[in-house]
Every structure is written in C-alpha cells, then in structure tokens.
Amino acid sequence: LRDLVTAANNNEKPVVELVLRRCPSCGAKTWKHICPECRVPTEIIGVCRSCGAENSYNENAVCSKCGGEVVYHSKTIVNIGEELYRAARSISESLPSRIKGVKGLSNTPRVPEQIEKGILRAKYGLYVYKDGTIRFDMTNAPLTHFKPSEIGVSVEKLRALGYSYDYMGRPLVNSDQICELKIQDIVIPRKSIDYLIRTTRFVDELLQKVYRLPPFYKIVRPEDLIGKLVIGLAPHTCAGVLGRIIGFTELNVCFAHPFWHSAKRR
C-alpha cells in the first residue's frame, strides 16, 4: 500500500534515491532542503558519472569539466518514523491512519515533497496526481443560458459577478429571468462541493502551517465557492482552462459553455 504510517510503526528504514544537497555553511551533505545542523537552505549538487567531479545543478545535467552525464541523487537510508513524527510535530498535527507514498521519484534530481503536505492531504482525504494537481472528475455538459433559480444563486450575487442584464438586455431583477452564460463561467455538481471545500481547507492550512502565510480561501459554507476560480482539465492533457464557479446543479455534470469544454481538448 506504500503506507508511510505502517512503515513508521514497523520501524522501516528503506534505501531511497533522493536528491544530493550540500550545506553552504558547514559543508554537510544531506537530502533535506534545510540543513539539520545550521538551519540554512542547502544547494543541489551533482556528481559526474565519468570523472566523479562535483557540479552545481543545471538543467542539462552535463559535467562542466568533461562533458559527461551528471546525476543529482544518491541512495540514502531514510528513517520513515523519525521523519514522519518530526513533520507532524512541526505542523502540530496528529498522524492520520494512512499516508500514501509513491514507489519512487521521477523528477531528475529526485527532490521529494515535504511530508507535511502529505499529512495535511491525508487529514482531508485528498489525493494528488503526479503532476501535483488535486482533481474532481465531472462529466461535461453544454450550457449557454440559465435562470438564477436553476443554479441556486441569488440575483444580487450574480449581479456582483457581472450578470447585470438578462439575455434580452433587460436589467436582472428576479430569479426567473434567462441569462446568457459567460464563456468561462461554470456550474458544478453539488456532489463536488464537499471535496472542493476540503481542498480549500487543505490549501489554507498548508499556507499557514508550512509556509507561514495567511489563509486564502477561508471557505465556511458552500455559497463561499461562488466566484472562486478553478482550472478545467481534460483527462490525459496538461493544459488547463480557467473557469469561475457561478452556481450548482443537482445533476452529476459540469455545466459550461461549449467553447469552454472545447478549449480543454485543444
């Protein structure tokens, strides 16, 4: 299961390929971003496979002395329990029942993600793709016009989002008037609300506990999602399209303009 909590309870210390770093202050080598002794940021270094010379990090991974291939990682013994409990203490969190890891790192220098992020994701029951995105899958459904009463949003809120007039050009004053959907606005299924709110709370806690920054979303109720920006992404693609949530539907689909759905595939 690649469960870090089970590995910690079993006192496992696996050999892992991790990034090679050096402290600019004391010269100690480590895989950690911050030197455990000096508490200063470390620098990625590489070793040439041909001549063994040390190199600073560069995207081409070519030795500056002989032109050979440079690797920026080495096999390292990691005490899973020690790292896990240290991370939990640093963000004042108790360990969840399970934290899923990966078989191995695929990025060139083998830089691992902070374990604190995994703890917070597990706390909220979220999963991350290897590209770093948290996603909720929805079925596409086209929409060009709507009534405020159909998407569960007040006229006042819609006017604040730019819907001042109905499709006939008359001022928007009641919930039964028909409005033309703006191309990048979307109506999401109510089934997605809980997952999206958990995602926003994860991001807010990440900002506060890991990056020491103020929270961004501060979502309290489903209505707080109205007006928030999201990225629409088709499966097996890597280019997203900006969208704005303007309402909810009881159907298990994502209502959006045909242009928006088409753009995700282009």
Side-chain angles (χ1 to χ4, degrees), residues 168-179:
M168 295 290 289
R170 297 170 298 200
L172 184 63
V173 294
N174 68 69
S175 60
D176 287 323
Q177 288 177 265
I178 299 174
C179 298

Side-chain angles (χ1 to χ4, degrees), residues 54-100:
E54 286 192 359
N55 286 255
S56 299
Y57 179 71
N58 67 79
E59 293 184 357
N60 296 324
V62 175
C63 179
S64 58
K65 290 187 176 180
C66 72
E69 181 186 2
V70 176
V71 293
Y72 298 100
H73 51 83
S74 62
K75 292 184 177 180
T76 308
I77 298 175
V78 178
N79 188 323
I80 298 294
E82 181 181 296
E83 296 300 329
L84 201 55
Y85 293 118
R86 176 205 56 77
R89 285 195 304 270
S90 72
I91 57 175
S92 302
E93 289 286 344
S94 57
L95 288 180
S97 59
R98 177 180 295 174
I99 302 175
K100 295 291 290 289

Side-chain angles (χ1 to χ4, degrees), residues 52-254:
E54 286 192 359
N55 286 255
S56 299
Y57 179 71
N58 67 79
E59 293 184 357
N60 296 324
V62 175
C63 179
S64 58
K65 290 187 176 180
C66 72
E69 181 186 2
V70 176
V71 293
Y72 298 100
H73 51 83
S74 62
K75 292 184 177 180
T76 308
I77 298 175
V78 178
N79 188 323
I80 298 294
E82 181 181 296
E83 296 300 329
L84 201 55
Y85 293 118
R86 176 205 56 77
R89 285 195 304 270
S90 72
I91 57 175
S92 302
E93 289 286 344
S94 57
L95 288 180
S97 59
R98 177 180 295 174
I99 302 175
K100 295 291 290 289
V102 295
K103 291 180 179 179
L105 298 172
S106 57
N107 62 82
T108 300
R110 305 293 193 272
V111 176
E113 182 183 57
Q114 287 181 264
I115 298 179
E116 289 87 342
K117 293 185 180 183
I119 294 172
L120 291 175
R121 271 201 305 269
K123 173 183 177 180
Y124 288 103
L126 302 172
Y127 298 92
V128 66
Y129 284 67
K130 62 183 177 180
D131 64 357
T133 58
I134 294 175
R135 309 183 187 187
F136 186 90
D137 291 334
M138 311 176 191
T139 301
N140 293 344
L143 184 72
T144 58
H145 294 75
F146 68 94
K147 296 179 181 178
S149 59
E150 294 174 328
I151 62 172
V153 180
S154 67
V155 169
E156 291 73 24
K157 185 65 175 178
L158 281 172
R159 289 177 65 89
L161 293 174
Y163 288 90
S164 302
Y165 305 94
D166 67 9
Y167 82 108
M168 295 290 289
R170 297 170 298 200
L172 184 63
V173 294
N174 68 69
S175 60
D176 287 323
Q177 288 177 265
I178 299 174
C179 298
E180 183 177 352
L181 183 69
K182 296 181 185 296
I183 289 176
Q184 287 182 275
D185 284 349
I186 67 173
V187 178
I188 62 173
R190 290 195 178 273
K191 272 194 172 182
S192 69
I193 290 176
D194 176 65
Y195 195 80
L196 291 179
I197 289 179
R198 281 188 278 133
T199 302
T200 64
R201 289 175 178 169
F202 156 71
V203 171
D204 282 351
E205 282 205 37
L206 185 65
L207 288 171
Q208 292 174 284
K209 295 184 175 181
V210 176
Y211 296 107
R212 312 300 184 215
L213 295 171
F216 178 78
Y217 288 106
K218 295 175 280 191
I219 300 293
V220 176
R221 52 183 185 165
E223 290 74 21
D224 295 336
L225 289 172
I226 301 299
K228 293 293 184 287
L229 303 180
V230 295
I231 296 295
L233 191 67
H236 314 301
T237 63
C238 59
V241 178
L242 185 67
R244 181 177 67 166
I245 299 171
I246 64 160
F248 310 110
T249 176
E250 299 296 335
L251 302 177
N252 295 326
V253 299
C254 175

